């Protein structure tokens, strides 16, 4: 399996709106959590009463991509056959190897002479186009067998999403009773203590975690009940405890005695800003998924700011980009009616451009943090996009949380950061497996043999802080 799945540049970032979240009144927090939000309440058709609408039955999910009953999957098969290259070592290299496990390494070792060829033959066991011919598939079957079962699982999971069945795993609970603590040890304890509907099968669990991994990964690091700590094996450093303690001070404020009447009026703190840089797919996740972040931090306003040139990719029909005006110089799209305490702003712009314009300043370690999902900081195709941004991030002295597809991916990014800013980086969270990674394997259409899990690992850093001491 190929360790690094970077098939395209991973851009940098975007901006935020000048408007701030309205002050929160604690009396506005519902005393009794409402009923769970259902799929139908978000415009998803309920197929429970319409069995005739099912495209595929649960026991009939395996189909080759080219012969799939789902038109969308057939289109993906056609794309793979016209863009993905055969990994057999007899072919010449099509690019430089990106990791020690990259199949391109085998081509270099054997000094192959055959010209590159697109994949065309679909493995009968996994149903994906993985080799150019049946002969090459048979000759290289020992290598392919290492990932064949996982590819078949990914195949069936993709068909499951196109099956037309009802998805109870996409129903999300409402606000949490403050007296009921959330256990963030792992997925099972989180889903149970947040009162999700019971998920008793592996496939629905994989589908549910594919979306929830984004907000819950953030929460797992900054929450006061985070599974990462400074004890042996906890991965959190002393500097990390300092930075996250400052952030948690406002994420978990004490009760202020606010009430619904005049006597209950209280000043409220500004929202905690979470800057999601280089935003891509995460910016288009259904908003009820992101609102789950709010329920983990009662009495705290949260402002999510998606920044990056691809943050609105393929969403023009949903949100046409506004004109850039003096009042909105970077064309930010503001979604401030999602809930009482969550606001989302999206900017189609690079972060370093907005930073130089002082659009977000000042930064406060008590109210701000950065989140980078699979940034590819050290990846050859995207490293140039972070060259200017990295010093700016360290200048803010606020936590920068990063995820990676694999251990090798994270270590490469960490090495680049340390080499680029030698001596100016404090490690907050050592790289390691993310407790709340996606449990589903994703396919790379440009290389079907390249499998990855979303947010497999997580780590964090910050610009080094210096403390002056007085001497007589």
């Amino acid at each position: 399996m190929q360790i690094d799945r970077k098939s395209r540049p991973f851009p940098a970032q975007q901006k935020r709106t000048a408007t701030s979240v309205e002050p929160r009144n604690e009396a506005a927090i519902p005393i009794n959590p409402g009923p769970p939000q259902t799929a139908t309440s978000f415009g998803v058709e309920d197929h429970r009463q319409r069995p005739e609408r099912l495209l595929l039955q649960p026991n009939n999910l395996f189909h080759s991509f080219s012969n799939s009953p789902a038109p969308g999957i057939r289109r993906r098969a056609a794309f793979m056959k016209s863009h993905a290259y055969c990994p057999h070592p007899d072919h010449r290299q099509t690019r430089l190897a990106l990791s020690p496990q990259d199949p391109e390494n085998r081509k270099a070792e054997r000094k192959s002479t055959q010209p590159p060829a697109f994949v065309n033959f679909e493995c009968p066991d996994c149903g994906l186009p993985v080799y150019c011919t049946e002969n090459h598939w048979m000759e290289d079957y020992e290598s392919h067998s290492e990932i064949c079962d996982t590819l078949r699982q990914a195949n069936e999971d993709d068909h499951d999403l196109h099956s037309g069945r009802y998805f109870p795993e996409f129903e999300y609970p409402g606000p949490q009773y403050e007296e009921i603590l959330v256990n963030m040890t792992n997925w099972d304890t989180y889903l149970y203590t947040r009162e999700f509907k019971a998920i008793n099968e592996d496939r629905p669990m994989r589908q549910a975690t594919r979306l929830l991994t984004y907000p819950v990964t953030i929460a797992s690091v900054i929450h006061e009940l985070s599974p990462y700590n400074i004890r042996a094996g906890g991965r959190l450093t002393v500097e990390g405890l300092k930075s996250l303690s400052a952030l948690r001070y406002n994420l978990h404020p004490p009760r202020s005695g606010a009430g619904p009447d005049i006597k209950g009026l209280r000043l409220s703190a500004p929202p905690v800003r979470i800057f999601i840089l280089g935003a891509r797919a995460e910016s288009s996740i259904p908003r009820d998924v992101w609102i789950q972040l709010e329920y983990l931090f009662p009495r705290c306003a949260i402002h999510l700011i998606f920044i990056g040139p691809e943050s609105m990719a393929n969403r023009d029909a949903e949100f046409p980009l506004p004109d850039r005006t003096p009042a909105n110089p970077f064309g930010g799209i503001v979604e401030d009616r999602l809930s009482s305490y969550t606001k989302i702003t999206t900017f189609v712009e690079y972060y370093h451009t907005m930073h130089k314009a002082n659009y977000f300043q000042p930064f406060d370690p008590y109210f701000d943090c950065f989140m980078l999902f699979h940034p590819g900081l050290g990846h050859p195709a995207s490293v140039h996009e972070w060259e200017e941004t990295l010093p700016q991030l360290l200048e803010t002295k606020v936590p920068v949380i990063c995820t990676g597809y694999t251990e090798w991916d994270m270590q490469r990014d960490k090495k680049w950061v340390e080499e680029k800013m030698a001596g100016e980086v404090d490690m907050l969270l050592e790289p390691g497996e993310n407790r709340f990674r996606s449990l589903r394997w994703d396919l790379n259409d440009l290389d079907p043999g390249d499998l990855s899990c979303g947010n497999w690992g997580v780590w964090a850093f910050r610009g080094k802080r210096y403390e002056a001491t007085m001497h007589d």
Side-chain angles (χ1 to χ4, degrees):
M1 187 194 320
Q2 185 175 324
I3 288 286
D4 191 290
R5 85 181 285 265
K6 301 292 188 289
S7 57
R8 59 185 172 85
F10 289 87
Q13 309 100 20
Q14 273 144 46
K15 68 188 192 186
R16 111 175 199 223
T17 311
T19 58
S20 60
V21 176
E22 296 181 359
R24 297 179 58 169
N25 187 340
E26 291 183 2
I29 299 178
I31 297 178
N32 296 315
Q37 303 175 37
T38 64
T40 52
S41 66
F42 294 102
V44 179
E45 276 197 276
D46 189 342
H47 297 282
R48 286 176 292 186
Q49 307 300 326
R50 296 184 177 183
E52 70 278 2
R53 296 291 299 275
L54 291 178
L55 180 64
L56 295 169
Q57 295 294 333
N59 60 352
N60 184 34
L61 294 177
F62 177 72
H63 298 271
S64 67
F65 264 37
S66 294
N67 299 310
S68 171
I73 293 183
R74 293 198 300 270
R75 287 193 293 269
R76 286 183 64 188
F79 180 88
M80 291 178 183
K81 292 182 177 181
S82 60
H83 291 82
Y85 289 98
C86 176
H88 194 281
D90 283 348
H91 294 290
R92 289 197 296 267
Q93 279 186 286
T94 57
R95 55 178 172 78
L96 293 176
L98 299 175
S99 71
Q101 287 73 27
D102 194 328
E104 294 296 308
N105 280 322
R106 298 188 303 159
K107 297 179 181 180
E109 293 169 359
R110 293 181 53 167
K111 298 182 179 178
S112 309
T113 57
Q114 293 187 21
F118 291 118
V119 296
N120 190 54
F121 176 77
E122 291 182 329
C123 171
D125 298 323
C126 64
L128 291 169
V130 286
Y131 287 89
C132 59
T133 63
E134 184 176 3
N135 286 338
H136 274 188
W137 169 74
M138 294 175 64
E139 292 174 6
D140 205 36
Y141 185 74
E142 182 177 355
S143 175
H144 175 68
S145 63
E146 296 176 1
I147 59 172
C148 188
D149 290 342
T150 308
L151 288 172
R152 182 185 179 106
Q153 182 187 100
N155 179 337
E156 293 179 353
D157 287 347
D158 282 337
H159 277 96
D160 180 50
L161 290 178
H162 289 80
S163 66
R165 72 171 176 91
Y166 176 69
F167 291 90
E169 61 267 34
F170 293 150
E171 294 183 1
Y172 303 107
Q176 181 91 351
Y177 285 108
E178 290 195 47
E179 294 77 10
I180 303 177
L181 297 180
V182 177
N183 188 326
M184 304 198 72
T185 302
N186 53 44
W187 276 120
D188 291 331
T189 59
Y190 168 77
L191 295 175
Y192 178 76
T193 53
R194 272 292 288 130
E195 298 183 335
F196 278 75
K197 285 190 174 182
I199 302 177
N200 300 318
E201 297 178 4
D202 290 341
R203 178 165 291 114
M205 186 70 166
R206 293 195 295 269
Q207 306 290 25
T209 59
R210 182 65 183 89
L211 295 180
L212 288 171
T213 181
Y214 290 97
V216 182
T217 292
I218 298 175
S220 70
V221 176
I222 64 178
H223 199 277
E224 64 180 357
L225 300 178
S226 168
Y228 309 110
N229 51 66
I230 60 173
R231 292 191 290 269
R235 293 169 47 196
L236 188 67
T237 66
V238 174
E239 290 299 323
L241 181 61
K242 293 178 183 178
S243 282
L244 295 180
S245 295
L247 198 57
R248 291 166 182 169
Y249 182 83
N250 288 296
L251 287 169
H252 303 279
R255 291 183 180 275
S256 62
D261 53 11
I262 295 295
K263 294 182 179 180
L265 292 177
R266 298 290 186 276
L267 291 175
S268 58
V272 172
R273 299 186 299 177
I274 301 177
F275 297 89
I276 301 176
L277 308 188
R280 298 184 299 277
E282 56 269 22
S283 65
S284 61
I285 289 177
R287 290 338 191 199
D288 52 299
V289 177
W290 281 113
I291 290 176
Q292 293 301 303
L293 192 62
E294 167 191 317
Y295 299 148
L296 294 172
F297 302 101
R299 304 195 307 275
C300 174
I302 295 177
H303 187 184
L304 297 173
I305 305 172
F306 296 101
I307 304 175
E310 289 186 290
S311 60
M312 290 296 293
N314 302 319
R315 297 180 63 199
D316 292 342
E318 179 184 1
F319 288 110
L321 294 180
D323 295 331
R324 300 196 176 197
T325 64
N328 187 10
F330 293 100
I333 298 173
V334 182
E335 301 170 65
D336 57 358
R337 304 298 177 126
L338 300 173
S339 70
S340 301
Y341 314 129
T342 299
K343 175 182 176 181
I344 295 179
T345 306
T346 306
F347 295 95
V348 184
E349 184 58 84
Y350 284 101
Y351 173 78
H352 59 257
T353 302
M354 305 181 71
H355 184 94
K356 288 187 289 187
N358 292 327
Y359 195 74
F360 300 117
Q361 280 79 345
F363 290 94
D364 190 333
Y366 283 82
F367 289 98
D368 299 322
C369 77
F370 291 95
M371 184 71 219
L372 281 60
F373 291 110
H374 316 112
L377 296 175
H379 191 275
S382 57
V383 64
H384 65 283
E385 296 184 318
W386 295 102
E387 290 273 359
E388 190 173 357
T389 301
L390 181 61
Q392 296 171 344
L393 296 182
L394 299 185
E395 175 188 320
T396 65
K397 309 300 183 185
V398 303
V400 181
I401 307 169
C402 301
T403 64
Y405 288 113
T406 62
E407 176 70 22
W408 194 89
D409 183 24
M410 290 189 299
Q411 293 295 346
R412 181 200 58 203
D413 289 352
K414 177 186 175 185
K415 180 180 178 181
W416 181 80
V417 169
E418 292 177 336
E419 291 179 351
K420 175 71 176 176
M421 305 299 297
E424 295 298 323
V425 178
D426 281 330
M427 198 56 56
L428 308 184
L429 182 67
E430 295 294 338
E433 185 172 356
N434 178 12
R435 300 267 188 115
F436 294 94
R437 69 177 179 87
S438 169
L439 300 180
R440 177 182 160 179
W441 291 97
D442 295 319
L443 296 170
N444 179 359
D445 289 354
L446 294 174
D447 184 359
D450 180 16
L451 288 163
S452 65
C453 278
N455 301 323
W456 182 90
V458 63
W459 61 293
F461 63 94
R462 181 202 66 201
K464 184 174 286 294
R465 302 184 66 177
Y466 297 92
E467 297 183 5
T469 57
M470 300 298 294
H471 294 280
D472 293 335

